[in-house]
Short mmCIF file of all heavy atoms in Angstrom, two decimals:
data_model
loop_
_atom_site.label_atom_id
_atom_site.label_comp_id
_atom_site.label_asym_id
_atom_site.label_seq_id
_atom_site.Cartn_x
_atom_site.Cartn_y
_atom_site.Cartn_z
N GLY A 530 0.81 -1.23 -0.01
CA GLY A 530 0.01 -0.01 0.02
C GLY A 530 0.84 1.26 -0.01
O GLY A 530 0.37 2.33 0.40
N ARG A 531 2.09 1.14 -0.45
CA ARG A 531 2.99 2.32 -0.52
C ARG A 531 3.81 2.23 -1.81
O ARG A 531 4.13 1.11 -2.24
CB ARG A 531 3.91 2.38 0.66
CG ARG A 531 3.27 2.43 2.05
CD ARG A 531 4.32 2.57 3.11
NE ARG A 531 3.74 2.43 4.42
CZ ARG A 531 4.45 2.49 5.56
NH1 ARG A 531 5.76 2.77 5.53
NH2 ARG A 531 3.86 2.33 6.75
N LYS A 532 4.18 3.35 -2.35
CA LYS A 532 5.06 3.40 -3.51
C LYS A 532 6.51 3.42 -3.05
O LYS A 532 6.83 3.97 -1.98
CB LYS A 532 4.78 4.65 -4.35
CG LYS A 532 3.40 4.73 -4.93
CD LYS A 532 3.12 3.60 -5.94
CE LYS A 532 3.83 3.87 -7.24
NZ LYS A 532 3.49 2.85 -8.29
N ALA A 533 7.35 2.79 -3.81
CA ALA A 533 8.78 2.73 -3.49
C ALA A 533 9.53 3.83 -4.23
O ALA A 533 9.21 4.17 -5.39
CB ALA A 533 9.37 1.38 -3.89
N GLU A 534 10.51 4.40 -3.56
CA GLU A 534 11.46 5.30 -4.20
C GLU A 534 12.57 4.40 -4.83
O GLU A 534 13.20 3.65 -4.11
CB GLU A 534 12.09 6.26 -3.23
CG GLU A 534 13.08 7.21 -3.84
CD GLU A 534 13.80 8.09 -2.82
OE1 GLU A 534 13.34 8.13 -1.66
OE2 GLU A 534 14.87 8.66 -3.17
N LYS A 535 12.74 4.53 -6.11
CA LYS A 535 13.62 3.60 -6.84
C LYS A 535 14.90 4.30 -7.26
O LYS A 535 14.89 5.38 -7.82
CB LYS A 535 12.89 3.00 -8.02
CG LYS A 535 11.58 2.30 -7.70
CD LYS A 535 10.85 1.85 -8.98
CE LYS A 535 9.45 1.34 -8.66
NZ LYS A 535 8.53 2.42 -8.22
N VAL A 536 16.00 3.59 -7.06
CA VAL A 536 17.33 4.03 -7.60
C VAL A 536 17.73 3.00 -8.67
O VAL A 536 18.01 1.86 -8.34
CB VAL A 536 18.42 4.06 -6.46
CG1 VAL A 536 19.74 4.47 -7.06
CG2 VAL A 536 17.99 5.01 -5.37
N MET A 537 17.67 3.45 -9.92
CA MET A 537 17.95 2.54 -11.00
C MET A 537 19.48 2.34 -11.20
O MET A 537 20.22 3.35 -11.28
CB MET A 537 17.33 3.06 -12.30
CG MET A 537 15.79 3.16 -12.24
SD MET A 537 15.06 1.52 -11.95
CE MET A 537 13.33 1.92 -12.04
N LEU A 538 19.90 1.08 -11.26
CA LEU A 538 21.32 0.79 -11.35
C LEU A 538 21.58 -0.25 -12.49
O LEU A 538 20.64 -0.98 -12.87
CB LEU A 538 21.82 0.19 -10.03
CG LEU A 538 21.76 1.16 -8.80
CD1 LEU A 538 22.09 0.38 -7.55
CD2 LEU A 538 22.74 2.31 -9.00
N PRO A 539 22.78 -0.35 -12.96
CA PRO A 539 23.09 -1.35 -14.02
C PRO A 539 23.20 -2.76 -13.41
O PRO A 539 23.16 -2.94 -12.20
CB PRO A 539 24.46 -0.86 -14.55
CG PRO A 539 25.06 -0.14 -13.41
CD PRO A 539 23.93 0.52 -12.68
N LEU A 540 23.32 -3.70 -14.28
CA LEU A 540 23.51 -5.10 -13.87
C LEU A 540 24.77 -5.23 -13.05
O LEU A 540 25.80 -4.60 -13.39
CB LEU A 540 23.60 -6.01 -15.13
CG LEU A 540 23.47 -7.52 -14.94
CD1 LEU A 540 22.08 -7.90 -14.51
CD2 LEU A 540 23.86 -8.25 -16.23
N GLN A 541 24.73 -6.00 -11.98
CA GLN A 541 25.88 -6.14 -11.08
C GLN A 541 26.71 -7.35 -11.47
O GLN A 541 26.22 -8.34 -12.07
CB GLN A 541 25.39 -6.31 -9.66
CG GLN A 541 24.62 -5.11 -9.17
CD GLN A 541 25.45 -3.87 -9.06
OE1 GLN A 541 26.34 -3.79 -8.22
NE2 GLN A 541 25.23 -2.91 -9.92
N PRO A 542 28.04 -7.33 -11.16
CA PRO A 542 28.87 -8.50 -11.45
C PRO A 542 28.35 -9.74 -10.77
O PRO A 542 27.91 -9.74 -9.64
CB PRO A 542 30.22 -8.10 -10.80
CG PRO A 542 30.21 -6.58 -10.80
CD PRO A 542 28.79 -6.21 -10.57
N GLY A 543 28.33 -10.88 -11.53
CA GLY A 543 27.80 -12.12 -11.02
C GLY A 543 26.33 -12.35 -11.27
O GLY A 543 25.84 -13.47 -11.09
N ASP A 544 25.58 -11.29 -11.59
CA ASP A 544 24.16 -11.43 -11.84
C ASP A 544 23.90 -11.91 -13.27
O ASP A 544 24.72 -11.71 -14.16
CB ASP A 544 23.42 -10.09 -11.65
CG ASP A 544 23.17 -9.80 -10.19
OD1 ASP A 544 23.39 -10.71 -9.35
OD2 ASP A 544 22.72 -8.65 -9.88
N VAL A 545 22.78 -12.58 -13.46
CA VAL A 545 22.33 -12.94 -14.82
C VAL A 545 21.05 -12.17 -15.13
O VAL A 545 20.31 -11.74 -14.19
CB VAL A 545 22.08 -14.46 -14.94
CG1 VAL A 545 23.37 -15.23 -14.71
CG2 VAL A 545 21.00 -14.92 -13.96
N VAL A 546 20.74 -11.97 -16.37
CA VAL A 546 19.62 -11.11 -16.77
C VAL A 546 18.28 -11.84 -16.50
O VAL A 546 17.30 -11.20 -16.05
CB VAL A 546 19.71 -10.74 -18.26
CG1 VAL A 546 18.46 -10.02 -18.72
CG2 VAL A 546 20.95 -9.87 -18.48
N ALA A 547 18.22 -13.14 -16.75
CA ALA A 547 16.90 -13.84 -16.63
C ALA A 547 17.10 -15.27 -16.18
O ALA A 547 18.11 -15.92 -16.49
CB ALA A 547 16.16 -13.78 -17.93
N THR A 548 16.15 -15.80 -15.40
CA THR A 548 16.09 -17.20 -15.09
C THR A 548 14.67 -17.70 -15.37
O THR A 548 13.67 -16.97 -15.16
CB THR A 548 16.45 -17.47 -13.64
OG1 THR A 548 15.47 -16.90 -12.76
CG2 THR A 548 17.82 -16.94 -13.30
N SER A 549 14.56 -18.96 -15.80
CA SER A 549 13.27 -19.56 -16.04
C SER A 549 13.49 -21.08 -16.00
O SER A 549 14.40 -21.57 -16.62
CB SER A 549 12.71 -19.15 -17.36
OG SER A 549 11.48 -19.83 -17.62
N ALA A 550 12.68 -21.77 -15.22
CA ALA A 550 12.87 -23.20 -15.00
C ALA A 550 12.00 -24.06 -15.88
O ALA A 550 10.76 -23.85 -15.94
CB ALA A 550 12.57 -23.54 -13.53
N ASP A 551 12.61 -25.01 -16.53
CA ASP A 551 11.89 -26.11 -17.18
C ASP A 551 11.68 -27.20 -16.07
O ASP A 551 12.68 -27.79 -15.62
CB ASP A 551 12.67 -26.67 -18.35
CG ASP A 551 11.98 -27.82 -19.05
OD1 ASP A 551 11.08 -28.43 -18.47
OD2 ASP A 551 12.37 -28.17 -20.17
N VAL A 552 10.44 -27.39 -15.65
CA VAL A 552 10.16 -28.34 -14.58
C VAL A 552 9.45 -29.57 -15.06
O VAL A 552 8.83 -30.31 -14.26
CB VAL A 552 9.37 -27.66 -13.45
CG1 VAL A 552 10.18 -26.52 -12.80
CG2 VAL A 552 8.02 -27.12 -13.96
N ALA A 553 9.53 -29.89 -16.35
CA ALA A 553 8.84 -31.03 -16.90
C ALA A 553 9.26 -32.34 -16.26
O ALA A 553 8.43 -33.20 -15.95
CB ALA A 553 9.08 -31.08 -18.40
N ASP A 554 10.57 -32.51 -15.99
CA ASP A 554 11.02 -33.74 -15.37
C ASP A 554 10.48 -33.90 -13.97
O ASP A 554 10.11 -35.02 -13.55
CB ASP A 554 12.53 -33.79 -15.38
CG ASP A 554 13.14 -34.03 -16.73
OD1 ASP A 554 12.36 -33.97 -17.72
OD2 ASP A 554 14.37 -34.22 -16.82
N LEU A 555 10.51 -32.83 -13.18
CA LEU A 555 9.96 -32.85 -11.83
C LEU A 555 8.48 -33.27 -11.87
O LEU A 555 8.04 -34.10 -11.08
CB LEU A 555 10.11 -31.48 -11.17
CG LEU A 555 9.58 -31.35 -9.74
CD1 LEU A 555 10.43 -32.12 -8.76
CD2 LEU A 555 9.47 -29.88 -9.33
N GLY A 556 7.71 -32.65 -12.77
CA GLY A 556 6.30 -32.99 -12.89
C GLY A 556 6.07 -34.45 -13.27
O GLY A 556 5.19 -35.13 -12.70
N ARG A 557 6.85 -34.90 -14.22
CA ARG A 557 6.71 -36.31 -14.70
C ARG A 557 7.01 -37.28 -13.58
O ARG A 557 6.31 -38.28 -13.42
CB ARG A 557 7.67 -36.54 -15.86
CG ARG A 557 7.58 -37.94 -16.48
CD ARG A 557 8.84 -38.20 -17.32
NE ARG A 557 10.04 -38.19 -16.54
CZ ARG A 557 11.22 -37.71 -16.94
NH1 ARG A 557 11.35 -37.15 -18.10
NH2 ARG A 557 12.25 -37.78 -16.12
#
């Protein structure tokens, strides 16, 4: 219920841009 004050920064060392899991094997 509150807005955040944001400080925009570049990608940090060690970070990756995106993650997404294929969980088909777990489901099977």
Side-chain angles (χ1 to χ4, degrees):
R531 302 184 190 180
K532 298 295 286 185
E534 179 187 346
K535 305 175 187 69
V536 178
M537 297 299 183
L538 295 170
L540 194 69
Q541 298 295 290
D544 279 352
V545 297
V546 173
T548 65
S549 176
D551 179 342
V552 296
D554 288 9
L555 178 71
R557 180 196 65 217

